[in-house]
Short mmCIF file of all heavy atoms in Angstrom, two decimals:
data_model
loop_
_atom_site.label_atom_id
_atom_site.label_comp_id
_atom_site.label_asym_id
_atom_site.label_seq_id
_atom_site.Cartn_x
_atom_site.Cartn_y
_atom_site.Cartn_z
N GLU A 1 34.08 -48.27 -138.55
CA GLU A 1 33.22 -47.90 -139.63
C GLU A 1 31.85 -47.58 -139.12
O GLU A 1 31.32 -48.33 -138.26
CB GLU A 1 33.17 -49.07 -140.67
CG GLU A 1 32.51 -48.66 -141.93
CD GLU A 1 33.51 -48.10 -142.96
OE1 GLU A 1 34.75 -48.31 -142.78
OE2 GLU A 1 33.11 -47.41 -143.89
N GLY A 2 31.25 -46.44 -139.51
CA GLY A 2 29.92 -46.07 -139.05
C GLY A 2 29.88 -45.24 -137.81
O GLY A 2 28.84 -44.74 -137.42
N LYS A 3 31.03 -45.08 -137.11
CA LYS A 3 31.09 -44.31 -135.84
C LYS A 3 31.67 -42.94 -136.08
O LYS A 3 31.84 -42.22 -135.14
CB LYS A 3 31.91 -45.05 -134.77
CG LYS A 3 31.36 -46.40 -134.41
CD LYS A 3 30.25 -46.26 -133.51
CE LYS A 3 29.80 -47.68 -133.10
NZ LYS A 3 28.74 -47.69 -132.15
N GLU A 4 31.94 -42.56 -137.32
CA GLU A 4 32.59 -41.33 -137.64
C GLU A 4 31.79 -40.12 -137.12
O GLU A 4 32.36 -39.17 -136.53
CB GLU A 4 32.90 -41.13 -139.15
CG GLU A 4 33.81 -42.14 -139.73
CD GLU A 4 33.07 -43.30 -140.34
OE1 GLU A 4 31.93 -43.53 -140.03
OE2 GLU A 4 33.78 -44.05 -141.08
N SER A 5 30.50 -40.10 -137.38
CA SER A 5 29.70 -38.94 -137.02
C SER A 5 29.66 -38.77 -135.48
O SER A 5 29.68 -37.64 -134.97
CB SER A 5 28.30 -39.04 -137.58
OG SER A 5 27.64 -40.18 -137.05
N LEU A 6 29.56 -39.83 -134.71
CA LEU A 6 29.54 -39.75 -133.26
C LEU A 6 30.89 -39.12 -132.76
O LEU A 6 30.89 -38.28 -131.89
CB LEU A 6 29.36 -41.14 -132.66
CG LEU A 6 29.38 -41.21 -131.09
CD1 LEU A 6 28.24 -40.40 -130.57
CD2 LEU A 6 29.27 -42.68 -130.72
N SER A 7 31.96 -39.68 -133.35
CA SER A 7 33.28 -39.11 -132.95
C SER A 7 33.44 -37.67 -133.29
O SER A 7 33.98 -36.89 -132.54
CB SER A 7 34.36 -39.97 -133.56
OG SER A 7 34.29 -41.32 -133.18
N LYS A 8 32.96 -37.31 -134.48
CA LYS A 8 33.10 -35.96 -134.98
C LYS A 8 32.26 -35.03 -134.08
O LYS A 8 32.73 -33.90 -133.73
CB LYS A 8 32.62 -35.85 -136.42
CG LYS A 8 33.14 -34.65 -137.15
CD LYS A 8 32.87 -34.77 -138.64
CE LYS A 8 33.48 -33.61 -139.36
NZ LYS A 8 33.35 -33.69 -140.75
N GLU A 9 31.11 -35.45 -133.62
CA GLU A 9 30.25 -34.64 -132.69
C GLU A 9 30.98 -34.43 -131.42
O GLU A 9 30.96 -33.33 -130.85
CB GLU A 9 28.97 -35.43 -132.38
CG GLU A 9 27.83 -35.19 -133.33
CD GLU A 9 26.61 -35.95 -132.86
OE1 GLU A 9 26.24 -35.86 -131.69
OE2 GLU A 9 25.99 -36.61 -133.71
N PHE A 10 31.65 -35.46 -130.89
CA PHE A 10 32.38 -35.37 -129.62
C PHE A 10 33.49 -34.29 -129.73
O PHE A 10 33.61 -33.44 -128.86
CB PHE A 10 32.99 -36.73 -129.24
CG PHE A 10 33.94 -36.64 -128.05
CD1 PHE A 10 33.42 -36.60 -126.80
CD2 PHE A 10 35.31 -36.58 -128.27
CE1 PHE A 10 34.28 -36.54 -125.66
CE2 PHE A 10 36.21 -36.50 -127.17
CZ PHE A 10 35.67 -36.46 -125.88
N PHE A 11 34.32 -34.36 -130.81
CA PHE A 11 35.39 -33.40 -130.97
C PHE A 11 34.85 -32.06 -131.18
O PHE A 11 35.45 -31.05 -130.68
CB PHE A 11 36.29 -33.87 -132.15
CG PHE A 11 37.13 -35.12 -131.85
CD1 PHE A 11 36.95 -36.26 -132.58
CD2 PHE A 11 37.99 -35.10 -130.79
CE1 PHE A 11 37.67 -37.37 -132.27
CE2 PHE A 11 38.69 -36.18 -130.48
CZ PHE A 11 38.58 -37.42 -131.25
N LYS A 12 33.72 -31.86 -131.93
CA LYS A 12 33.15 -30.53 -132.19
C LYS A 12 32.69 -29.92 -130.88
O LYS A 12 32.90 -28.73 -130.63
CB LYS A 12 31.98 -30.66 -133.20
CG LYS A 12 31.43 -29.35 -133.57
CD LYS A 12 30.34 -29.52 -134.64
CE LYS A 12 29.76 -28.19 -135.01
NZ LYS A 12 28.69 -28.32 -135.98
N LYS A 13 32.03 -30.76 -130.02
CA LYS A 13 31.54 -30.33 -128.74
C LYS A 13 32.69 -29.76 -127.91
O LYS A 13 32.51 -28.78 -127.13
CB LYS A 13 30.86 -31.45 -128.02
CG LYS A 13 30.29 -31.10 -126.65
CD LYS A 13 29.63 -32.29 -126.01
CE LYS A 13 29.11 -31.90 -124.63
NZ LYS A 13 28.44 -33.06 -124.01
N HIS A 14 33.88 -30.34 -128.02
CA HIS A 14 35.04 -29.84 -127.28
C HIS A 14 35.91 -28.87 -128.00
O HIS A 14 37.09 -28.66 -127.63
CB HIS A 14 35.82 -31.07 -126.76
CG HIS A 14 35.03 -31.93 -125.80
ND1 HIS A 14 34.86 -31.57 -124.50
CD2 HIS A 14 34.37 -33.09 -125.97
CE1 HIS A 14 34.12 -32.44 -123.91
NE2 HIS A 14 33.74 -33.39 -124.79
N HIS A 15 35.38 -28.38 -129.17
CA HIS A 15 36.06 -27.31 -129.95
C HIS A 15 37.38 -27.86 -130.48
O HIS A 15 38.38 -27.12 -130.48
CB HIS A 15 36.21 -26.07 -129.14
CG HIS A 15 34.97 -25.52 -128.55
ND1 HIS A 15 34.00 -24.92 -129.33
CD2 HIS A 15 34.53 -25.56 -127.28
CE1 HIS A 15 32.96 -24.61 -128.51
NE2 HIS A 15 33.26 -25.05 -127.27
N LEU A 16 37.43 -29.08 -130.97
CA LEU A 16 38.62 -29.64 -131.56
C LEU A 16 38.39 -29.87 -133.04
O LEU A 16 37.32 -30.30 -133.41
CB LEU A 16 38.98 -30.98 -130.87
CG LEU A 16 39.20 -30.90 -129.35
CD1 LEU A 16 39.26 -32.33 -128.77
CD2 LEU A 16 40.45 -30.13 -129.06
N LYS A 17 39.37 -29.53 -133.85
CA LYS A 17 39.31 -29.69 -135.29
C LYS A 17 39.45 -31.11 -135.65
O LYS A 17 40.38 -31.81 -135.11
CB LYS A 17 40.36 -28.80 -136.00
CG LYS A 17 40.18 -28.81 -137.47
CD LYS A 17 41.21 -27.88 -138.04
CE LYS A 17 41.11 -27.96 -139.55
NZ LYS A 17 41.99 -27.05 -140.22
N THR A 18 38.65 -31.65 -136.58
CA THR A 18 38.74 -33.04 -136.95
C THR A 18 38.98 -33.09 -138.50
O THR A 18 38.64 -32.22 -139.22
CB THR A 18 37.53 -33.86 -136.64
OG1 THR A 18 36.39 -33.32 -137.34
CG2 THR A 18 37.20 -33.85 -135.19
N ARG A 19 39.57 -34.23 -138.85
CA ARG A 19 39.71 -34.51 -140.31
C ARG A 19 39.63 -36.05 -140.38
O ARG A 19 40.42 -36.70 -139.71
CB ARG A 19 41.04 -34.03 -140.85
CG ARG A 19 41.10 -34.31 -142.36
CD ARG A 19 42.24 -33.59 -142.93
NE ARG A 19 42.24 -32.10 -142.71
CZ ARG A 19 42.04 -31.14 -143.59
NH1 ARG A 19 41.75 -31.52 -144.85
NH2 ARG A 19 42.06 -29.91 -143.21
N ILE A 20 38.73 -36.56 -141.18
CA ILE A 20 38.54 -38.01 -141.26
C ILE A 20 39.14 -38.45 -142.56
O ILE A 20 38.75 -38.01 -143.61
CB ILE A 20 37.05 -38.38 -141.19
CG1 ILE A 20 36.49 -37.96 -139.78
CG2 ILE A 20 36.82 -39.88 -141.46
CD1 ILE A 20 35.01 -38.12 -139.66
N LEU A 21 40.03 -39.37 -142.43
CA LEU A 21 40.68 -39.96 -143.61
C LEU A 21 40.07 -41.33 -143.86
O LEU A 21 39.97 -42.15 -142.97
CB LEU A 21 42.23 -40.16 -143.43
CG LEU A 21 43.03 -38.92 -143.14
CD1 LEU A 21 44.46 -39.29 -142.84
CD2 LEU A 21 42.95 -37.97 -144.29
N LYS A 22 39.65 -41.59 -145.17
CA LYS A 22 39.09 -42.86 -145.48
C LYS A 22 39.94 -43.71 -146.40
O LYS A 22 39.72 -44.89 -146.56
CB LYS A 22 37.67 -42.68 -146.04
CG LYS A 22 36.74 -42.14 -145.03
CD LYS A 22 35.32 -42.07 -145.57
CE LYS A 22 34.42 -41.49 -144.51
NZ LYS A 22 33.05 -41.50 -144.92
N SER A 23 40.87 -43.09 -147.01
CA SER A 23 41.70 -43.74 -147.98
C SER A 23 42.70 -44.61 -147.40
O SER A 23 43.50 -44.18 -146.52
CB SER A 23 42.40 -42.76 -148.91
OG SER A 23 43.36 -43.35 -149.69
N LYS A 24 42.70 -45.92 -147.68
CA LYS A 24 43.62 -46.86 -147.14
C LYS A 24 45.10 -46.44 -147.40
O LYS A 24 45.98 -46.54 -146.58
CB LYS A 24 43.40 -48.26 -147.74
CG LYS A 24 44.34 -49.34 -147.23
CD LYS A 24 44.11 -49.65 -145.79
CE LYS A 24 44.98 -50.83 -145.38
NZ LYS A 24 45.37 -50.78 -144.01
N GLU A 25 45.28 -45.84 -148.57
CA GLU A 25 46.63 -45.37 -148.93
C GLU A 25 47.10 -44.34 -147.97
O GLU A 25 48.27 -44.33 -147.52
CB GLU A 25 46.53 -44.79 -150.34
CG GLU A 25 47.82 -44.83 -151.11
CD GLU A 25 47.59 -44.44 -152.53
OE1 GLU A 25 47.11 -45.25 -153.35
OE2 GLU A 25 47.82 -43.24 -152.88
N ASP A 26 46.27 -43.35 -147.58
CA ASP A 26 46.70 -42.30 -146.66
C ASP A 26 46.95 -42.87 -145.29
O ASP A 26 47.91 -42.37 -144.59
CB ASP A 26 45.60 -41.23 -146.59
CG ASP A 26 45.48 -40.41 -147.86
OD1 ASP A 26 46.52 -40.30 -148.60
OD2 ASP A 26 44.43 -39.92 -148.17
N GLU A 27 46.14 -43.85 -144.84
CA GLU A 27 46.34 -44.43 -143.59
C GLU A 27 47.72 -45.14 -143.53
O GLU A 27 48.45 -45.02 -142.59
CB GLU A 27 45.25 -45.47 -143.24
CG GLU A 27 43.92 -44.83 -143.03
CD GLU A 27 42.78 -45.85 -142.89
OE1 GLU A 27 43.10 -47.07 -142.81
OE2 GLU A 27 41.68 -45.46 -142.87
N ASP A 28 48.04 -45.81 -144.67
CA ASP A 28 49.36 -46.47 -144.74
C ASP A 28 50.47 -45.48 -144.70
O ASP A 28 51.53 -45.74 -144.03
CB ASP A 28 49.45 -47.33 -146.01
CG ASP A 28 48.54 -48.53 -146.03
OD1 ASP A 28 48.04 -48.93 -144.90
OD2 ASP A 28 48.23 -49.07 -147.10
N LEU A 29 50.34 -44.35 -145.36
CA LEU A 29 51.38 -43.37 -145.38
C LEU A 29 51.63 -42.75 -144.02
O LEU A 29 52.72 -42.63 -143.56
CB LEU A 29 51.00 -42.23 -146.39
CG LEU A 29 52.01 -41.13 -146.63
CD1 LEU A 29 53.35 -41.73 -147.09
CD2 LEU A 29 51.48 -40.17 -147.66
N ILE A 30 50.53 -42.45 -143.32
CA ILE A 30 50.65 -41.90 -141.93
C ILE A 30 51.30 -42.93 -141.02
O ILE A 30 52.11 -42.57 -140.22
CB ILE A 30 49.31 -41.36 -141.41
CG1 ILE A 30 48.91 -40.16 -142.18
CG2 ILE A 30 49.34 -41.06 -139.98
CD1 ILE A 30 47.43 -39.64 -142.00
N ALA A 31 50.90 -44.19 -141.19
CA ALA A 31 51.48 -45.22 -140.35
C ALA A 31 52.98 -45.36 -140.59
O ALA A 31 53.82 -45.51 -139.66
CB ALA A 31 50.85 -46.57 -140.64
N LYS A 32 53.36 -45.19 -141.82
CA LYS A 32 54.82 -45.21 -142.17
C LYS A 32 55.53 -44.04 -141.53
O LYS A 32 56.64 -44.23 -140.99
CB LYS A 32 54.94 -45.11 -143.71
CG LYS A 32 56.41 -45.00 -144.17
CD LYS A 32 56.45 -44.86 -145.70
CE LYS A 32 57.84 -44.39 -146.10
NZ LYS A 32 57.83 -43.65 -147.34
N TRP A 33 54.92 -42.86 -141.49
CA TRP A 33 55.54 -41.71 -140.88
C TRP A 33 55.66 -41.89 -139.35
O TRP A 33 56.68 -41.49 -138.75
CB TRP A 33 54.78 -40.44 -141.13
CG TRP A 33 54.85 -39.91 -142.55
CD1 TRP A 33 55.84 -40.22 -143.43
CD2 TRP A 33 53.96 -39.09 -143.21
NE1 TRP A 33 55.59 -39.61 -144.65
CE2 TRP A 33 54.43 -38.86 -144.49
CE3 TRP A 33 52.78 -38.47 -142.85
CZ2 TRP A 33 53.78 -38.05 -145.41
CZ3 TRP A 33 52.12 -37.68 -143.77
CH2 TRP A 33 52.61 -37.48 -145.03
N ILE A 34 54.65 -42.49 -138.75
CA ILE A 34 54.72 -42.74 -137.30
C ILE A 34 55.90 -43.74 -137.00
O ILE A 34 56.63 -43.51 -136.12
CB ILE A 34 53.35 -43.37 -136.82
CG1 ILE A 34 52.26 -42.27 -136.90
CG2 ILE A 34 53.52 -43.90 -135.46
CD1 ILE A 34 50.91 -42.80 -136.61
N ASP A 35 55.97 -44.78 -137.90
CA ASP A 35 57.11 -45.72 -137.65
C ASP A 35 58.42 -45.03 -137.82
O ASP A 35 59.36 -45.24 -137.01
CB ASP A 35 57.03 -46.85 -138.65
CG ASP A 35 55.82 -47.80 -138.32
OD1 ASP A 35 55.39 -47.82 -137.19
OD2 ASP A 35 55.46 -48.57 -139.25
N GLU A 36 58.62 -44.18 -138.88
CA GLU A 36 59.80 -43.42 -139.07
C GLU A 36 60.09 -42.51 -137.86
O GLU A 36 61.24 -42.38 -137.39
CB GLU A 36 59.75 -42.59 -140.31
CG GLU A 36 59.80 -43.47 -141.59
CD GLU A 36 59.59 -42.59 -142.86
OE1 GLU A 36 59.46 -41.36 -142.75
OE2 GLU A 36 59.53 -43.23 -143.89
N GLY A 37 59.06 -41.82 -137.38
CA GLY A 37 59.21 -40.93 -136.23
C GLY A 37 59.64 -41.66 -134.95
O GLY A 37 60.39 -41.19 -134.17
N MET A 38 59.10 -42.88 -134.80
CA MET A 38 59.50 -43.66 -133.64
C MET A 38 60.98 -44.06 -133.67
O MET A 38 61.65 -44.10 -132.69
CB MET A 38 58.72 -44.92 -133.55
CG MET A 38 57.13 -44.67 -133.37
SD MET A 38 56.80 -43.91 -131.77
CE MET A 38 56.94 -45.31 -130.68
N LYS A 39 61.53 -44.25 -134.87
CA LYS A 39 62.92 -44.56 -135.06
C LYS A 39 63.83 -43.37 -135.02
O LYS A 39 64.82 -43.32 -134.39
CB LYS A 39 63.08 -45.32 -136.36
CG LYS A 39 62.47 -46.67 -136.41
CD LYS A 39 62.64 -47.35 -137.73
CE LYS A 39 61.78 -48.59 -137.87
NZ LYS A 39 61.71 -49.14 -139.18
N SER A 40 63.46 -42.31 -135.75
CA SER A 40 64.33 -41.22 -135.95
C SER A 40 64.05 -40.05 -134.93
O SER A 40 64.88 -39.16 -134.77
CB SER A 40 64.18 -40.61 -137.35
OG SER A 40 62.96 -39.94 -137.49
N GLY A 41 62.83 -40.02 -134.33
CA GLY A 41 62.52 -39.01 -133.41
C GLY A 41 61.76 -37.84 -134.05
O GLY A 41 61.27 -36.99 -133.41
N GLU A 42 61.76 -37.75 -135.43
CA GLU A 42 61.05 -36.67 -136.03
C GLU A 42 60.54 -37.04 -137.40
O GLU A 42 61.13 -37.82 -138.14
CB GLU A 42 61.87 -35.40 -136.11
CG GLU A 42 63.05 -35.51 -137.03
CD GLU A 42 63.85 -34.21 -137.07
OE1 GLU A 42 64.51 -33.92 -136.07
OE2 GLU A 42 63.79 -33.50 -138.02
#
């Protein structure tokens, strides 16, 4: 928390697109997909 702008600056400097998620619900959903991907491969 509070380091988002520093990180966003770093990615912008290296021409990388960023998207910051703050919703706990979205974080949980992405974590679920990662877990599913680790098991199923996709």
Side-chain angles (χ1 to χ4, degrees):
E1 194 86 20
K3 300 283 185 177
E4 297 94 345
S5 62
L6 177 63
S7 300
K8 202 168 184 177
E9 273 183 47
F10 172 80
F11 290 119
K12 184 177 181 181
K13 181 179 179 180
H14 294 283
H15 308 285
L16 301 169
K17 185 175 179 179
T18 62
R19 185 167 306 247
I20 297 175
L21 300 177
K22 293 186 178 184
S23 169
K24 179 68 174 150
E25 206 171 280
D26 291 332
E27 292 173 9
D28 291 342
L29 185 57
I30 291 172
K32 177 183 163 205
W33 289 338
I34 291 170
D35 289 341
E36 287 174 5
M38 296 295 281
K39 292 176 189 169
S40 71
E42 66 180 72

